[in-house]
């Protein structure tokens, strides 16, 4: 029996990328894109997130953190890892 190890990138569909929170100590995550939408949580700087490119908009990423916080945040606060 052979055991294969996959990285997080290997397990993600092409439309999902890994990013990290930058330029903000306490990033507000919202239910929908927009600065007036309901708040679903907060993420600290350097928190790693999955970015769903299919559900992201021109100005907002749809993100999911390991702690379960999910929603939208401005793109300027997430650096995509390549």
């Amino acid at each position: 029996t052979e055991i294969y190890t996959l990285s997080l990138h290997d397990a993600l569909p092409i439309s999902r990328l890994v990013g990290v929170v930058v330029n903000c100590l306490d990033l507000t995550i919202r239910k929908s894109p927009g600065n007036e939408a309901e708040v679903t949580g907060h993420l600290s700087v350097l928190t790693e997130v999955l970015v769903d490119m299919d559900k992201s908009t021109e100005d907002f990423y749809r993100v999911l953190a390991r702690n379960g916080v999910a929603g939208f945040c401005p793109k300027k606060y997430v650096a995509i890892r390549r």
Side-chain angles (χ1 to χ4, degrees):
T1 303
E2 291 185 47
I3 297 174
Y4 295 95
T5 303
L6 297 176
S7 73
L8 183 59
H9 287 285
D10 295 328
L12 297 175
I14 196 77
S15 64
R16 289 200 175 174
L17 301 172
V18 176
V20 64
V21 175
V22 294
N23 302 322
C24 185
L25 295 177
D26 184 38
L27 180 60
T28 300
I29 306 301
R30 298 184 180 276
K31 188 173 183 175
S32 60
N35 294 324
E36 302 303 318
E38 178 183 339
V39 175
T40 60
H42 297 269
L43 297 175
S44 300
V45 68
L46 302 181
T47 299
E48 190 172 82
V49 295
L50 294 180
V51 178
D52 186 337
M53 297 304 290
D54 288 338
K55 294 182 181 174
S56 294
T57 67
E58 185 177 330
D59 297 321
F60 288 81
Y61 282 134
R62 171 68 164 86
V63 298
L64 171 63
R66 290 181 189 206
N67 65 3
V69 173
F72 293 84
C73 66
K75 287 184 173 182
K76 65 183 178 180
Y77 297 120
V78 175
I80 300 296
R81 292 193 174 160
R82 306 249 178 222

